[in-house]
Amino acid sequence: MPLVPPKPPAPRKTTRTAKPAIPGKRPAAKRKVTKKKKPLAIEWKFAIVGLLLILFSPFYYGYVIKGFTSTWRWIKDWGQDPNYRTYSSFDIRIPKKYSVHGIDVSYYQGKIDWKKVKAMKEDEVQVKFAFIKATEGILSVDPYFQRNWREAAKAGVICGAYHFFRPQKSGEWQAKFFLQTVKFEEGDLPPVVDIEQLNGVAPASMRKELQEFISYVEKRTKVKPIIYSGLTFYKDYLKGHFDEYPLWIAHYHQAKLKVSSDTKWSFWQHSDKARITGINHVVDFNAFNGDSTAFERLRIPRILSY
């Protein structure tokens, strides 16, 4: 049997010993292997750019603000009559049933920027007409009348003029004074007589002078004047005496004008606290009892010189 040569000895395993640390020197940090980030897809880039354009767009903020305002108004009007809504721009509540709105002014409102008045609008509400004070009694002319009468018409506001009636004065003389001051033209609203006080005279005497005023104005202009008065004064002293004439009634801060169904009224002064752009003081706000077609029919079609 042949001899088997002996196996060579297996190599000895050696362990690597760490290098001795050098005093004062920090050991080297291990390198971290970082993965390369994938580039953003082109679709995502377009999406981000589009979102930024929307966020920084004034139209976006206008939409957000409008939505917030509408929501706040809805909350504010919760439980109230939906036909008597608050209009924040005008700072009053306005009956929604009416589509033709206007104001009446005098020297009390001071200098008015009529272009701003005409431009003001919230939803469907804007100032379409204005009644302007012209005269009072037999001597007083409103100091702002001529300017208001000229500038309001230039701005596109349909105008009417009114006379503040003094019952203790001659009705005919007041009418003459009024027509000497105001030159009505085609397209204007009819003349208005404002009667609110007895001024110490008996109701019958007041009605006599008022009738003289109305008759003189109608004879000269061929137009039926409008009678303006407060609701209580109208019920106490005028109702049943001048029913053939257009009526303009003051009755404030109510959802409806509280008159009988047979009362034929044309205008309702429903607020005395409206805020109008271009006017520095509160203003009376009015609604016309009818649509735009009826309003056009009320305007003076043609007037002869008087």
Side-chain angles (χ1 to χ4, degrees), residues 191-209:
V192 177
V193 55
D194 177 347
I195 173 67
E196 305 177 35
Q197 305 167 357
L198 289 175
N199 291 137
V201 306
S205 178
M206 175 273 295
R207 287 190 290 266
K208 174 180 175 296
E209 298 300 334

Side-chain angles (χ1 to χ4, degrees), residues 1-8:
M1 184 171 187
L3 292 173
V4 178
K7 293 182 179 180

